[in-house]
Amino acid sequence: MNYLVNEQHSGERIDKFLVGVMENVSRTDVQKLIAAGEVKVGGAQAPKNFRVETGMVVVVDKIPEKEASTLEPENIPLDIVYEDADIVVLNKPRNLVVHPGNGVQNGTLAAGLLYHFKENLSAVNGPLRPGIVHRLDKDTPGLMVVAKNDAAHRHLAHQLETRTLHRTYNALVWGHVRDLEGTIDAPIGRNPKNRLKMAVVKDGKPSRTHYVAKKFFAFATLLELQLESGRTHQIRVHSRYMGHPVVGDPLYDGRDGCLNRVSPLMKDIAAKVLEIAPAQLLQAVKIELIHPTTGKKMKFKVPLEKPFEQVLKLLKKECPADAPTFDEDEGFHDFDADIRFDEGFEEEFDEESLDKFDECVFPELKERKTRAQRHAEKAATAAHRRAKAAERKRIKQEKAARRRGIAPEDFVEPGYEPTIDPDLL
């Protein structure tokens, strides 16, 4: 098949161009064709990052064959938040796989969608993923958007690509993050030591996660996160990468091993948290998108699932904490809103010492005082302070006595008792 590039598509990547002009293909299908050498421009195989120009003819030697569907509809209950002729927004429960794969064939969200909506789903991602625009991990509950037709699917996929479709997550992580808000920018790929896991690797795909710290507890932090890219296990991998695994995450070191970082007084509470948490305490709580047909901005939000809410209530009751601040020398310490930088502070320099340095004559180093000397000086300073306070108090009481008509010679100092003649007793 030959495809002529017009001005509208000039400058586009070749895979994006072919997705727009070919029917019933996904970008993954096109990228597989390019990798196999089936896409040519000017008789030469086109690289994956090739950009087309007006007047070029792109030749596709082989049209991808869609895999035969083995997906059978299943009556799986769906929590539908919103539905119209183009999209469905649903709240996926925990422990539900989105589509078949990795040995899972039955009991998927895709099978449930096929049962409830039958043929009214997009086919862009193939028969095994009807209507699936993006996915969530099996043990990550939350909001997902499903496309009912191919046009809506491509529009939503474009929003994901251009980052106009926003997904917001809540996650409870171990420890306290260093910054109250920030961005984790680290490439993600397959873990070279365990192919079932992802990891931050040098040659991985670019991945960015933005986070804001919302609540603090003695040994954990509630984060709000937004994805700029959508890699597999992205939030879980990035959280582990910055040293704060998601609480309860069985795959990325978020369970019993993290109890060692909790103080002994809080260890029982932390163990209780892991008993409540079925898996990672991570949930897609909000999604913002532009409707494919009306162009209207839409926002959807769901409350936290019951286990997540239970854990937060437990932590709020047993071990709340203020926002910490980080000091490079002292580490984390409690946040004190009353502490401010002193204004007008100027560092003073000893001009004589500077002159000596200019002459390359170094001043003598002071001998460091012993601990006993420091304690003695501290005690002397405290005694002097107490003596001054007692003197001020005596003067004040003497003045008060004169106002009451007591003669100075009859005035008795506070805390002083005159000697009494024993013969008078």
Side-chain angles (χ1 to χ4, degrees):
M1 295 290 291
N2 298 342
Y3 300 95
L4 178 65
V5 181
N6 55 31
E7 293 183 2
Q8 179 184 356
H9 299 289
S10 181
E12 289 184 347
R13 275 177 50 133
I14 192 167
D15 54 351
K16 183 178 179 181
F17 165 73
L18 289 176
V19 169
V21 297
M22 297 177 70
E23 295 182 358
N24 199 28
V25 295
S26 65
R27 177 169 275 189
T28 302
D29 295 331
V30 172
Q31 289 172 344
K32 288 179 180 179
L33 289 176
I34 295 173
E38 303 290 347
V39 179
K40 299 177 181 178
V41 178
Q45 294 181 2
K48 62 181 181 180
N49 58 351
F50 182 79
R51 294 188 177 273
V52 297
E53 301 292 341
T54 304
M56 287 183 175
V57 177
V58 180
V59 180
V60 181
D61 293 336
K62 181 181 178 182
I63 303 298
E65 296 180 0
K66 290 293 182 179
E67 56 186 332
S69 175
T70 57
L71 187 65
E72 295 294 332
E74 297 181 49
N75 186 7
I76 296 174
L78 300 179
D79 182 6
I80 297 175
V81 178
Y82 173 83
E83 178 186 0
D84 61 23
D86 297 296
I87 64 172
V88 177
V89 178
L90 56 88
N91 186 17
K92 185 190 87 70
R94 187 184 292 274
N95 202 33
L96 179 63
V97 178
V98 172
H99 56 72
N102 295 330
V104 178
Q105 298 299 325
N106 302 318
T108 63
L109 175 63
L113 292 172
L114 200 59
Y115 177 88
H116 289 279
F117 301 106
K118 298 178 174 57
E119 302 300 325
N120 296 323
L121 294 168
S122 72
V124 172
N125 275 343
L128 295 180
R129 303 181 184 184
I132 304 297
V133 179
H134 62 101
R135 59 182 294 275
L136 291 172
D137 298 334
K138 173 186 174 183
D139 287 318
T140 300
L143 289 172
M144 290 181 59
V145 60
V146 174
K148 280 190 164 185
N149 53 67
D150 291 358
H153 191 128
R154 291 193 175 93
H155 195 284
L156 293 170
H158 179 70
Q159 290 184 51
L160 282 171
E161 182 182 355
T162 56
R163 303 181 183 92
T164 54
L165 190 155
H166 301 289
R167 294 163 289 169
T168 303
Y169 295 77
N170 278 0
L172 186 70
V173 301
W174 292 102
H176 294 156
V177 292
R178 173 168 177 165
D179 301 311
L180 300 185
E181 59 181 276
T183 299
I184 310 165
D185 189 351
I188 292 178
R190 286 288 172 187
N191 189 325
K193 297 181 180 179
N194 185 345
R195 303 300 294 175
L196 298 178
K197 298 171 65 175
M198 308 299 288
V200 171
V201 293
K202 186 177 181 180
D203 56 346
K205 294 181 179 180
S207 310
R208 288 168 64 89
T209 304
H210 307 282
Y211 71 87
V212 177
K214 305 299 287 185
K215 292 182 181 179
F216 290 88
F217 307 100
F219 54 81
T221 307
L222 178 65
L223 299 183
E224 182 179 277
L225 308 104
Q226 283 198 348
L227 299 180
E228 191 172 309
S229 52
R231 310 303 176 201
T232 302
H233 301 172
Q234 179 170 323
I235 291 176
R236 299 162 67 185
V237 172
H238 273 171
S239 297
R240 176 66 185 86
Y241 175 70
M242 69 173 177
H244 303 284
V246 178
V247 173
D249 192 341
L251 196 59
Y252 295 100
D253 306 326
R255 294 200 70 84
D256 294 344
C258 286
L259 293 177
N260 296 327
R261 64 195 295 174
V262 179
S263 67
L265 293 176
M266 296 292 177
K267 193 158 291 188
D268 289 343
I269 300 173
K272 180 65 175 177
V273 166
L274 291 180
E275 289 179 12
I276 299 173
Q280 64 267 12
L281 292 179
L282 170 67
Q283 181 176 347
V285 294
K286 185 167 63 174
I287 190 168
E288 302 177 44
L289 56 90
I290 300 171
H291 194 277
T293 302
T294 65
K296 179 182 176 182
K297 288 186 178 180
M298 309 182 76
K299 297 182 181 180
F300 305 95
K301 189 175 182 179
V302 292
L304 290 174
E305 62 165 354
K306 188 175 180 180
F308 205 153
E309 190 65 35
Q310 279 184 296
V311 167
L312 293 183
K313 287 182 179 179
L314 174 66
L315 294 178
K316 184 177 181 180
K317 178 183 177 182
E318 300 293 343
C319 51
D322 295 326
T325 54
F326 184 84
D327 184 272
E328 292 185 357
D329 297 324
E330 300 179 5
F332 285 110
H333 54 85
D334 292 335
F335 177 76
D336 186 353
D338 295 330
I339 294 177
R340 296 289 184 271
F341 289 104
D342 293 331
E343 296 182 359
F345 173 80
E346 295 182 1
E347 189 173 1
E348 298 180 357
F349 295 95
D350 185 350
E351 294 183 359
E352 295 182 0
S353 298
L354 292 177
D355 293 340
K356 291 180 181 179
F357 275 103
D358 292 338
E359 298 171 1
C360 297
V361 178
F362 293 94
E364 294 183 3
L365 296 176
K366 290 184 178 180
E367 292 185 3
R368 185 173 180 177
K369 297 177 181 178
T370 65
R371 181 178 296 179
Q373 289 174 329
R374 292 198 301 271
H375 279 297
E377 289 182 359
K378 188 175 180 181
T381 302
H384 179 71
R385 192 182 297 116
R386 288 194 298 271
K388 294 286 287 183
E391 178 66 15
R392 288 194 299 269
K393 184 176 180 180
R394 185 193 65 78
I395 295 172
K396 182 178 179 181
Q397 292 183 347
E398 188 174 350
K399 289 180 179 179
R402 283 199 298 269
R403 286 196 298 269
R404 293 196 301 270
I406 301 174
E409 59 272 12
D410 296 332
F411 176 73
V412 178
E413 294 183 16
Y416 173 77
E417 183 180 352
T419 304
I420 300 175
D421 187 350
D423 297 335
L424 299 177
L425 296 177

